Amino acid sequence: MAALVLFGGGGDLAMRMLLPSLYFLEHDGLLPDALKIIGAARSEESRDEYLDKVRAAVEGKARADEAWSDAAWERLAGRLDYLAVDATDPESLKPLRERVGDGPTTSFLAVSPSLYGRIVTALKTAGLAGPDDRVVLEKPVGRDLETFRQIDDAVAHAFSENQVFRIDHYLGKETVQNLIALRFGNTVFEPLWNNLSIDHVQITVGETVGVGDRWPYYDEYGALRDMLQNHMLQLLCLVAMEPPADLDPDSVRNEKVKVLRSLRPITPDDAERVTVRGQYVAGAVDGEAVKGYDEERGQDSDTETFVAIRADIDNWRWAGVPFFMRTGKRLPEKRTEIVIQFKPVPHSIFDHGDRGTLAANRMVIELQPEEDISLSVMNKRPGLEQRMQLQPIRMSLSWGQNDRDDRPPRRRIAYERLLLDALSGDSTLFVRRDEAEQAWKWVDEVSEAWARRRVRPQEYAAGTWGPEAATALLARSGREWNTGHG
């Protein structure tokens, strides 16, 4: 019998994301028949007490999605067990080893990455790191290349690379996966996906929330390590990678590594020209007055809560096409999107002014708050005017917009796909070690450039799109950030 062990099984990630995901998979009949699920944490509580906590966490989400079923819950509850353990102690793990049985075990470490090394060592000693077992690690692993290697060396001592699943939940989003289908499943876009047709690419991850009580973690990582290294470089790789030979996990990940190796290093001389550091001060978000980061923290800090970067990929496909990335806390909108800005037509046969403005085509891939892919194209404005009037129209390429189905499928939690893949051993949507190393190497160069040039965060009022320098980052080349949707 196969087993899934959730270390940190009573923590925030498990209760908000992992266990609701497992419920939805159970509801849809997608979990392996014989799978056993064990929550493992330090707190002493009974199985019944744990089930009550899980049900409270799951039921609200399921009812909101009109997917609550007593029968589905009973099936999930029948799989669930709980064990109080110290995951860093092999002796404490012995009862767990007996509980999981003889089948393959997948250990999901929903705990602080600082514990990964000690936990995997304990798993190996306790006999939970056999050749058929797997381990799932939440990113970011480490805070730079050196600490990543220290942690991952311990992981490699316990598990071979094909047993390690470094999870980035952004890669489990339906729209991110659809980007692969859109690029490589159609002849329409891929011939245009290069520096001959694309002017630039924008990747935005905006959050309205502040750091709040998470400042001890955030003070160590900042926006550069927390978001850009962790998620945004993955999105950049999927946009920029070459077509893989097939969908074999290593074929896909080989192409992503090539992109990371092609990223132009950011030197100290480049730091202030192609990067922006920011930190929010007091302002207003959604009409509510909010504190600045230093006020939340209780003392001054030079941690960045906003970062914008121009990245250049030095290869034949993308030479001359800048990739602009920005992410920050306390921005005006919760928005995650990728904008593919195409070049304008080489020569317009339409006069401007009374015929309307001729806008270049733009593809927008939205991940949050809703998932959508849309394409903006120019079209004739309906009417009998003698002079043809033009207008941009937005065409949705998402499921349910252009078909006859009355009800689109439920918007899945990204972890649903990733949990299924980890249980089946499919590592396509997970991050390989050399991929993580290349991402850390590039981010470390940015961090070192900031340190050598003494680049301090520029202030921006909460509720705005970051420092003015972020606007200037694009404006210097006659470009501007996407401010609308589509």
Side-chain angles (χ1 to χ4, degrees):
M1 179 182 290
L4 170 64
V5 181
L6 303 178
F7 289 99
D12 180 68
L13 176 64
M15 291 297 172
R16 279 193 309 110
M17 294 293 180
L18 303 182
L19 288 158
S21 295
L22 290 166
Y23 167 82
F24 286 124
L25 292 173
E26 181 69 78
H27 178 275
D28 294 345
L30 296 174
L31 288 180
D33 291 338
L35 179 69
K36 183 187 298 185
I37 302 169
I38 301 173
R42 288 180 178 271
S43 59
E44 296 286 346
E45 56 186 307
S46 68
R47 176 178 180 271
D48 288 341
E49 289 172 327
Y50 183 66
L51 287 182
D52 288 343
K53 285 170 57 177
V54 174
R55 177 165 181 159
V58 165
E59 187 171 358
K61 284 188 180 243
R63 290 193 183 279
D65 283 342
E66 300 179 7
W68 177 255
S69 160
D70 289 333
W73 165 250
E74 290 302 323
R75 293 197 303 273
L76 180 66
R79 300 177 184 271
L80 281 170
D81 202 352
Y82 179 79
L83 196 63
V85 300
D86 176 356
T88 65
D89 180 4
E91 285 297 316
S92 181
L93 291 178
K94 283 184 177 179
L96 177 63
R97 178 68 190 87
E98 296 170 3
R99 195 79 60 95
V100 299
D102 296 328
T105 300
T106 300
S107 297
F108 194 119
L109 305 193
V111 298
S112 168
S114 64
L115 298 174
Y116 287 172
R118 295 166 61 194
I119 291 176
V120 295
T121 300
L123 289 173
K124 182 176 178 64
T125 304
L128 288 164
D132 296 325
D133 297 326
R134 304 184 183 106
V135 64
V136 183
L137 309 176
E138 271 285 326
K139 292 172 67 232
V141 179
R143 69 176 303 277
D144 53 26
L145 181 58
E146 180 182 357
T147 54
F148 167 79
R149 284 176 170 163
Q150 289 172 356
I151 295 170
D152 219 61
D153 283 347
V155 174
H157 182 68
F159 295 89
S160 61
E161 179 62 29
N162 65 350
Q163 297 174 273
V164 181
F165 292 74
R166 299 173 192 84
I167 200 167
D168 183 340
H169 71 270
Y170 271 49
L171 300 186
K173 292 180 178 292
E174 190 72 22
T175 307
V176 172
Q177 297 168 61
N178 203 22
L179 174 59
I180 299 175
L182 194 74
R183 283 194 60 189
F184 305 130
N186 300 282
T187 60
V188 176
F189 298 112
E190 188 56 25
L192 305 176
W193 214 263
N194 53 51
N195 54 10
L196 299 178
S197 300
I198 292 177
D199 179 79
H200 71 278
V201 176
Q202 300 178 22
I203 302 175
T204 294
V205 179
E207 299 179 275
T208 57
V209 297
V211 175
D213 294 338
R214 291 181 68 233
W215 70 260
Y217 162 84
Y218 209 82
D219 230 32
E220 184 178 1
Y221 283 79
L224 179 69
R225 295 180 174 91
D226 181 52
M227 289 301 301
L228 192 136
Q229 185 280 338
N230 195 22
H231 300 308
M232 301 181 78
L233 286 181
Q234 285 294 311
L235 300 180
L236 179 146
C237 285
L238 291 177
V239 172
M241 71 182 188
E242 295 295 320
D246 49 42
L247 282 180
D248 178 80
D250 276 336
S251 295
V252 174
R253 296 191 292 180
N254 286 344
E255 299 304 332
K256 290 164 66 181
V257 171
K258 290 177 186 177
V259 173
L260 293 170
R261 287 176 175 165
S262 299
L263 283 172
R264 185 182 302 169
I266 293 178
T267 67
D269 290 340
D270 296 328
E272 293 176 283
R273 181 177 61 85
V274 300
T275 75
V276 178
R277 292 185 82 196
Q279 185 185 102
Y280 64 84
V281 295
V285 177
D286 295 330
E288 297 287 332
V290 296
K291 296 179 179 179
Y293 179 72
D294 285 350
E295 294 174 89
E296 291 176 335
R297 188 180 182 279
Q299 63 185 90
D300 292 346
S301 167
D302 64 354
T303 299
E304 77 280 353
T305 62
F306 175 95
V307 61
I309 287 182
R310 169 180 170 151
D312 288 273
I313 300 172
D314 291 333
N315 63 22
W316 278 31
R317 182 184 289 262
W318 296 112
V321 178
F323 283 68
F324 296 101
M325 296 179 283
R326 63 172 172 173
T327 182
K329 302 284 189 184
R330 290 295 190 206
L331 301 184
E333 299 176 40
K334 180 181 177 65
R335 187 201 304 181
T336 301
E337 68 179 15
I338 303 167
V339 177
I340 313 297
Q341 180 65 59
F342 291 92
K343 292 181 177 179
V345 295
H347 170 69
S348 174
I349 64 172
F350 305 98
D351 297 326
H352 295 300
D354 59 348
R355 288 190 187 271
T357 301
L358 192 63
N361 303 129
R362 170 179 286 186
M363 179 182 288
V364 179
I365 301 146
E366 297 179 60
L367 281 70
Q368 292 183 45
E370 300 297 330
E371 295 192 49
D372 186 33
I373 299 178
S374 62
L375 183 65
S376 295
V377 298
M378 295 304 298
N379 196 29
K380 178 187 176 297
R381 185 177 299 161
L384 299 176
E385 293 86 355
Q386 289 185 324
R387 292 174 61 80
M388 185 182 294
Q389 305 290 309
L390 299 180
Q391 64 180 6
I393 62 168
R394 179 179 177 274
M395 301 169 56
S396 177
L397 305 178
S398 296
W399 194 98
Q401 299 296 318
N402 305 301
D403 52 38
R404 298 177 182 177
D405 294 289
D406 295 329
R407 183 176 178 179
R410 175 179 61 81
R411 184 180 177 187
R412 292 191 177 276
I413 302 172
Y415 282 96
E416 294 178 48
R417 160 55 54 198
L418 298 173
L419 282 167
L420 271 185
D421 286 355
L423 289 169
S424 65
D426 185 345
S427 57
T428 306
L429 296 175
F430 295 82
V431 178
R432 203 168 61 192
R433 174 166 176 149
D434 57 344
E435 190 180 339
E437 285 182 328
Q438 286 296 323
W440 274 123
K441 181 176 181 292
W442 191 76
V443 164
D444 280 359
E445 290 168 348
V446 176
S447 182
E448 183 181 346
W450 284 348
R452 290 181 60 182
R453 298 292 294 191
R454 299 182 181 178
V455 178
R456 292 183 55 81
Q458 302 176 43
E459 293 183 352
Y460 65 96
T464 65
W465 281 107
E468 287 296 321
T471 302
L473 182 66
L474 273 73
R476 284 195 292 270
S477 59
R479 301 176 174 100
E480 59 183 18
W481 293 104
N482 182 43
T483 55
H485 296 284

